[in-house]
Amino acid sequence: MLKSLDIQGFRCFRQLRVEPLTQVNLFVGQNNAGKTSLLEAAELVAIGGVEGLMRSSVRRSEQILVRSEVEEEYKEHVFDPSHLFFGHDLQLGSSFKIQGHGETESWVECAVEHASVQETLIHTLGFRSHVTAQKKEHARLTISPWGGVLPPPRWWPEPSPRVNFLEAESIDVSNLGQLWGDLVLTTEEEEIIRSLRIIEPLFERLAFIGESRGALANIIVRLTGNEKRLPLGNLGGGLRHLLALVLNLLSAQGGFLLVDEIDTGLHYSVMLDMWRLLVESAKRLRIQVFATTHSLDCVRALGRLRRRYPEIGEAVTLHRVERDASTTVVYDADEIVVAAEGHIEVR
Amino acid sequence: MAPPEDSPYQLLVEGSDDLNTIIHLMKRHEFDWDDETSIRPFLSARGGINGLLKDIPAFLRSAAYQRIGVVLDANSDLTARWTQVRDRAQEAGANLPDLPLPQGTTVSGRVADSRFGVWIMPDNQSLGALENFLGKLMPDADPIQVYAGEAVNEARRRGAKCQPKDHIKSVLHTWLAWQAKPGLPFGTALQAEIFEKDSDVALRFVAWFRNLFADPSPSPRSPAPSAPPPPPPRDPRNR
């Protein structure tokens, strides 16, 4: 578990220290303050591999349209690395570093360097990381003359333990089938059903069917007292979001869950139960959670969580990310209660 | 319309007596609480001194507030009370001086261009509370004012349970009971002009308040004016 993070030169952060981090961390702040970048910094240092850079770039559509010289099948992976650096500055010497401090130290650093290939001087992206003794990487990726980077052609396994990232607008249902596959018939399957009852009390069973388990139409559910099975898509966005949240959460045992705009599609009346589920599971399965929100209801529900279930609420810290600041503004569990109950704005 | 709850200016007080006193004192000093063309502080009673102290850091940490004022009672230990406020403020990144300033204290807040002001009732220098502040607003020439004091002393001699430390509170309420409309609460009594509005301390308070919330000059430390501000304050020709 990370206890603090130091971010230097990554995306919108010249220099940022995030401390303390606890089991569950909620980030608030204005648009463009860097909340998503902060999740990505945590993701990078948790994954510790070049694929972390790619995940982040693909998520933000920072791929480059490539020319024919790049093999077709890797086309979608070519990305513009300049956006990873503070000020979008891709020059010789540009660098970023992310350090995670916990029981062990982990770090990722990346820099634009010179390399000589067959007596020609080229620019490369030097990538070094250290997560554990087994999990470290030293890679050098060529930056093409048009500014794109093609990562080495190889298969990227899911990191183990998992580092799951749930995006804000679009729920990527394509990998839900895979996550479901990891959890079905385990003890956690019951937890999934229990969680979905937060929104739909009649929820009975869930299945993924068909050849491509990615499509929303292939997720079907059964509700108590209803003869017919229903496609999940029929049941509303909140349930879909909650399912995605729960699958990404429960499959991340020992790892990380990063959620951008955790309140998406959730009515304020279910926020407390959502937090309870999330924090309880995170503690039980040793998952560190980083989430963002713009919702006041979402923050206030954390205050109620601490009041009603003190030992669960204790595991949560709230951070406000402010543009150009070198630290976040921190509210511990009790300060969240003070703000929530006193109607004091924290966002 | 009154200032909205999410106003960037906030004034935190202990209880509803403080709240209504400040609203009506400022009204009598021509402060227009309903002027929607200006940012006006939202006043909130924080549930006594403990609630107020508890909330100070959360307000100061917020990015939503540019001006935060607190008004609280010195009671029996001004230094101890000041230290409590200073520690709470420091926790959230606002640095108050070692001692409160007689004209009220205003410093820069944590965020750029923000201000944090503290007024300790009655006058930042004496022990006491809101009632001591109001006691100075009883008309000097009022013949029953002295008699109210004597009556409270006499009542105590005859077994009334009020404590000597609360003498001024008992006197105020006794005196208010003897007005044409008996027993008005403090705020209403100010509005009804039973209290005066221009004691030295009240003028210092008004200047502190205006400096914190309404003074457009960039300096947060401009000293309190010695004369009462010229009415009406929002007319640009008079500035």
Side-chain angles (χ1 to χ4, degrees):
Chain A
M1 194 171 93
L2 299 173
K3 298 213 164 113
S4 63
L5 263 182
D6 277 307
I7 306 170
Q8 263 175 299
F10 179 67
R11 292 203 179 268
C12 61
F13 303 121
R14 187 190 297 277
Q15 178 92 49
L16 180 72
R17 183 168 181 82
V18 190
E19 183 181 29
L21 292 168
T22 54
Q23 195 87 49
V24 175
N25 305 279
L26 181 65
F27 296 91
V28 295
Q30 295 185 346
N31 289 324
N32 259 330
K35 299 188 295 296
T36 306
S37 302
L38 207 155
L39 298 192
E40 291 182 330
E43 178 188 36
L44 257 178
V45 82
I47 293 178
V50 173
E51 69 266 37
L53 300 181
M54 289 171 49
R55 278 188 179 200
S56 169
S57 294
V58 170
R59 194 176 297 130
R60 292 168 177 260
S61 307
E62 290 165 352
Q63 299 103 314
I64 289 182
L65 288 175
V66 294
R67 303 182 191 172
S68 55
E69 59 250 50
V70 180
E71 289 176 65
E72 277 294 304
E73 64 176 297
Y74 303 121
K75 192 159 99 172
E76 75 215 55
H77 297 311
V78 176
F79 65 95
D80 177 356
S82 67
H83 308 299
L84 295 166
F85 297 93
F86 181 76
H88 308 265
D89 194 12
L90 193 70
Q91 294 193 13
L92 193 62
S94 295
S95 69
F96 71 77
K97 184 167 190 178
I98 303 162
Q99 292 167 274
H101 312 286
E103 284 117 48
T104 57
E105 296 290 297
S106 50
W107 51 264
V108 164
E109 63 184 354
C110 197
V112 179
E113 294 161 352
H114 259 160
S116 170
V117 176
Q118 293 165 344
E119 296 181 9
T120 311
L121 218 49
I122 57 161
H123 278 180
T124 64
L125 202 59
F127 181 91
R128 284 168 289 276
S129 73
H130 180 101
V131 179
T132 61
Q134 293 78 38
K135 204 168 162 184
K136 51 188 173 182
E137 193 157 314
H138 191 160
R140 180 172 282 179
L141 312 177
T142 303
I143 302 173
S144 72
W146 69 86
V149 164
L150 176 63
R154 67 175 209 223
W155 178 65
W156 308 104
E158 278 295 327
S160 171
R162 275 178 187 271
V163 178
N164 290 340
F165 197 113
L166 200 56
E167 284 179 65
E169 302 95 27
S170 61
I171 295 167
D172 180 10
V173 286
S174 67
N175 74 340
L176 291 187
Q178 194 195 345
L179 298 176
W180 169 255
D182 288 357
L183 295 165
V184 70
L185 301 186
T186 68
T187 49
E188 298 302 333
E189 185 185 342
E190 293 159 34
E191 191 63 28
I192 298 172
I193 303 301
R194 248 201 308 279
S195 313
L196 294 174
R197 287 190 187 136
I198 292 175
I199 289 187
E200 178 49 76
L202 300 178
F203 204 94
E204 211 165 83
R205 283 193 65 192
L206 171 76
F208 285 67
I209 54 163
E211 285 290 310
S212 82
R213 291 190 302 181
L216 195 56
N218 294 332
I219 310 174
I220 52 165
V221 301
R222 190 182 162 86
L223 303 184
T224 307
N226 210 325
E227 299 273 304
K228 217 171 162 184
R229 65 185 199 187
L230 304 167
L232 178 73
N234 200 256
L235 294 176
L239 200 66
R240 229 172 304 163
H241 182 78
L242 190 61
L243 176 66
L245 181 65
V246 170
L247 292 179
N248 276 282
L249 172 69
L250 299 178
S251 60
Q253 183 156 9
F256 292 83
L257 173 68
L258 310 127
V259 192
D260 210 0
E261 296 183 16
I262 193 164
D263 53 281
T264 305
L266 299 180
H267 188 251
Y268 79 92
S269 61
V270 302
M271 293 287 187
L272 176 64
D273 290 331
M274 183 277 289
W275 277 123
R276 188 184 172 195
L277 155 81
L278 187 91
V279 183
E280 241 173 11
S281 305
K283 286 178 78 169
R284 182 167 53 86
L285 301 173
R286 292 171 293 103
I287 302 161
Q288 190 165 25
V289 179
F290 294 74
T292 73
T293 189
H294 285 288
S295 153
L296 188 58
D297 293 326
C298 190
V299 174
R300 292 201 170 147
L302 273 183
R304 293 204 299 278
L305 181 78
R306 169 68 170 159
R307 266 274 187 256
R308 221 179 285 174
Y309 312 102
E311 69 298 339
I312 303 177
E314 179 188 52
V316 183
T317 306
L318 177 77
H319 294 256
R320 188 175 57 255
V321 186
E322 295 178 341
R323 205 183 294 196
D324 302 327
S326 60
T327 56
T328 55
V329 178
V330 182
Y331 297 77
D332 68 21
D334 290 324
E335 287 158 353
I336 296 171
V337 175
V338 168
E341 293 183 351
H343 288 238
I344 305 166
E345 183 60 87
V346 298
R347 296 170 298 171
Chain B
M1 280 243 297
E5 183 178 2
D6 62 355
S7 167
Y9 295 2
Q10 297 279 328
L11 183 62
L12 318 177
V13 301
E14 292 186 31
S16 55
D17 275 343
D18 308 88
L19 190 137
N20 290 313
T21 298
I22 293 168
I23 287 175
H24 290 291
L25 178 66
M26 291 313 298
K27 250 189 198 169
R28 286 187 63 189
H29 283 273
E30 317 296 333
F31 188 83
D32 184 356
W33 293 98
D34 300 316
D35 173 16
E36 296 193 16
T37 64
S38 71
I39 308 178
R40 296 137 295 149
F42 179 78
L43 264 70
S44 58
R46 310 308 299 183
I49 180 63
N50 292 330
L52 176 57
L53 287 172
K54 185 178 64 144
D55 288 347
I56 289 174
F59 270 95
L60 284 171
R61 277 204 193 91
S62 178
Y65 312 120
Q66 290 157 6
R67 308 281 170 78
I68 298 164
V70 298
V71 175
L72 64 180
D73 291 338
N75 290 335
S76 57
D77 193 342
L78 174 67
T79 320
R81 183 57 27 98
W82 179 256
T83 308
Q84 281 176 312
V85 177
R86 208 187 47 184
D87 290 351
R88 287 300 178 132
Q90 196 155 27
E91 211 178 285
N95 294 309
L96 290 172
D98 289 342
L99 290 168
L101 306 179
Q103 70 269 30
T105 310
T106 302
V107 297
S108 317
R110 191 188 60 84
V111 196
D113 302 326
S114 65
R115 293 181 198 171
F116 175 53
V118 185
W119 181 278
I120 308 238
M121 285 289 173
D123 59 4
N124 301 299
Q125 289 170 299
S126 324
L127 305 183
L130 175 71
E131 287 80 358
N132 301 75
F133 180 91
L134 285 166
K136 298 269 169 40
L137 292 173
M138 292 156 84
D140 277 342
D142 187 313
I144 57 169
Q145 193 205 124
V146 178
Y147 180 50
E150 291 167 9
V152 168
N153 288 334
E154 178 58 24
R156 212 183 293 119
R157 255 195 308 279
R158 296 186 185 198
K161 299 220 166 52
C162 56
Q163 298 293 306
K165 72 176 171 62
D166 293 327
H167 182 74
I168 183 70
K169 289 190 190 183
S170 303
V171 173
L172 266 187
H173 288 285
T174 305
W175 179 74
L176 284 170
W178 293 343
Q179 303 303 314
K181 283 187 180 168
L184 291 180
F186 297 154
T188 321
L190 261 164
Q191 185 181 25
E193 302 192 10
I194 294 170
F195 286 110
E196 295 186 331
K197 65 177 177 66
D198 288 336
S199 72
D200 283 353
V201 181
L203 292 177
R204 275 193 273 147
F205 177 86
V206 171
W208 169 81
F209 180 99
R210 287 190 182 283
N211 177 259
L212 181 59
F213 293 117
D215 180 0
S217 90
S219 158
R221 283 176 190 274
S222 60
S226 50
R234 231 168 289 284
D235 186 338
R237 284 163 303 183
N238 282 343
R239 272 223 256 275

